[in-house]
Amino acid sequence: CSMLMGEKKNDEAKSSFTTMVITSLIIGAIFTIILSIFKVPILRFLGATDELLPYISDFMNVSRFYIPLLIVTNMFGRFYVIAGKPKVSMITSMVQIACNLFFDWLLIAKMGIGIVGAAYGNLAGFVLLTIIGVVFYSNKNREIHFGKPLENPKELYKSVWKLGRSQGLTSISISLNTFLTNMILLKTGGETLVAGYTVVSNVQFMFMNAFFGFIGSVSPIASYAYGEKNPEKLSNICKKSTILIECLS
C-alpha cells in the first residue's frame, strides 16, 4: 500500500488495505473455528500437561474468539504510520497495555477469577483497539482509509506473499523456537521451569518490541520512497536505520 501511494495510486492502495482487513478477519475466524473444534488435541500437541491443561483450556475458551481482532488490530497498528499518524500507533499500544494492567488487577487480583480474567482483559483491549481503528479508518480525510474492496485480489495476495514472506518466516521461527524451548524445559524441569523462563523471556521481549516497533514504522516509509522511485531517500533511511539499530543494540 505504501508503494502504491508512492506511485500516486491512492485509490488502489485504499482498496488493497480494505481487502486485506476483510481477509485478516476471515483468516482469524478460520483459526477460531479450528481451535473450537480441535482445542484439546492442539493444546496437547503444544505440550499442555495434565496440570496445565485446565488453566490453558479456560484461557482458550475466551481467547479463541478474539483472534480475528488480534490480527486486524495488528494490521491497523502498522497502517497508522502509512496514514501519517505514527503517534496514534504509540497511543493505541499504551491503551492496550493500560487496559491489560487494569483488567488483570480487577479480574484476577480483586475479583479472583483467575487466568480467565487475563483472557477477558485481553478481549477488552482488542475490542477497544478495533473500535479505535474502525473509527480512524472510516474518516475519509485520512491519507489511507476504508474503500471499495478489490473485485479480484489475486495479484494483491501474490504481492503480499512476495513482500511479506520474510516477516512471516521470522514470526514462524520465533513461534517454533518458543515451542521447542517449552518442550525441552517441560522435560527437564517441569511446569515451574517453564513459568520461570517465561518471566525472563517476557522481560527480553519488552526490549525486542522496541525493534519490532521501529521496523513497523520505517518499513512503510521506505516502501513509499521505493514507490516514488527516490533512491536518495531510500539510502538516507537505510543509513539512519542502521545507525539507530546499532546504538539500540
Side-chain angles (χ1 to χ4, degrees):
C1 288
S2 296
M3 282 165 37
L4 289 170
M5 291 171 71
E7 296 170 357
K8 308 304 179 188
K9 298 177 181 177
N10 291 346
D11 289 339
E12 189 176 342
K14 293 165 189 172
S15 295
S16 297
F17 165 66
T18 307
T19 301
M20 291 312 300
V21 169
I22 296 170
T23 304
S24 297
L25 289 171
I26 293 171
I27 292 171
I30 291 171
F31 278 122
T32 296
I33 293 169
I34 291 172
L35 282 169
S36 298
I37 298 173
F38 303 106
K39 182 183 71 172
V40 174
I42 289 173
L43 295 179
R44 285 293 192 187
F45 172 76
L46 292 174
T49 62
D50 291 337
E51 184 178 344
L52 294 175
L53 186 62
Y55 297 101
I56 304 171
S57 182
D58 289 345
F59 185 89
M60 188 65 71
N61 286 338
V62 177
S63 64
R64 60 186 170 179
F65 292 110
Y66 62 65
I67 291 175
L69 302 184
L70 185 156
I71 297 173
V72 83
T73 52
N74 269 285
M75 193 169 169
F76 283 166
R78 293 298 179 99
F79 274 83
Y80 290 129
V81 179
I82 301 173
K85 299 292 182 182
K87 289 183 180 179
V88 176
S89 181
M90 182 183 71
I91 291 169
T92 53
S93 296
M94 293 172 67
V95 166
Q96 184 177 16
I97 292 168
C99 196
N100 282 354
L101 287 172
F102 172 75
F103 282 106
D104 282 357
W105 168 79
L106 177 66
L107 299 175
I108 299 174
K110 289 295 181 182
M111 298 179 64
I113 296 178
I115 197 167
V116 178
Y120 279 116
N122 289 344
L123 175 62
F126 288 123
V127 168
L128 184 57
L129 292 189
T130 302
I131 293 171
I132 293 172
V134 169
V135 171
F136 182 92
Y137 294 110
S138 295
N139 188 340
K140 302 298 182 181
N141 294 322
R142 305 294 183 193
E143 289 188 40
I144 192 159
H145 55 74
F146 293 130
K148 184 181 178 181
L150 296 172
E151 293 183 6
N152 184 7
K154 185 177 179 180
E155 291 302 317
L156 172 64
Y157 293 148
K158 285 182 179 179
S159 297
V160 169
W161 168 251
K162 180 181 176 181
L163 297 171
R165 61 188 173 193
S166 61
Q167 292 184 6
L169 289 171
T170 299
S171 297
I172 291 172
S173 67
I174 292 172
S175 301
L176 184 60
N177 179 66
T178 303
F179 167 69
L180 293 174
T181 301
N182 283 340
M183 296 297 285
I184 292 168
L185 293 173
L186 273 172
K187 290 184 180 296
T188 55
E191 292 87 350
T192 306
L193 188 56
V194 173
Y197 176 80
T198 301
V199 172
V200 175
S201 61
N202 280 345
V203 172
Q204 179 190 17
F205 195 71
M206 288 170 61
F207 291 97
M208 288 174 61
N209 266 341
F211 293 96
F212 289 135
F214 176 76
I215 292 167
S217 299
V218 171
S219 295
I221 299 172
S223 298
Y224 189 95
Y226 181 85
E228 64 178 359
K229 295 178 173 59
N230 191 332
E232 290 184 8
K233 186 186 287 186
L234 273 171
S235 178
N236 191 32
I237 291 169
C238 183
K239 180 181 177 181
K240 289 181 177 178
S241 298
T242 302
I243 293 171
L244 184 57
I245 289 173
E246 287 175 351
C247 291
L248 284 172
S249 298

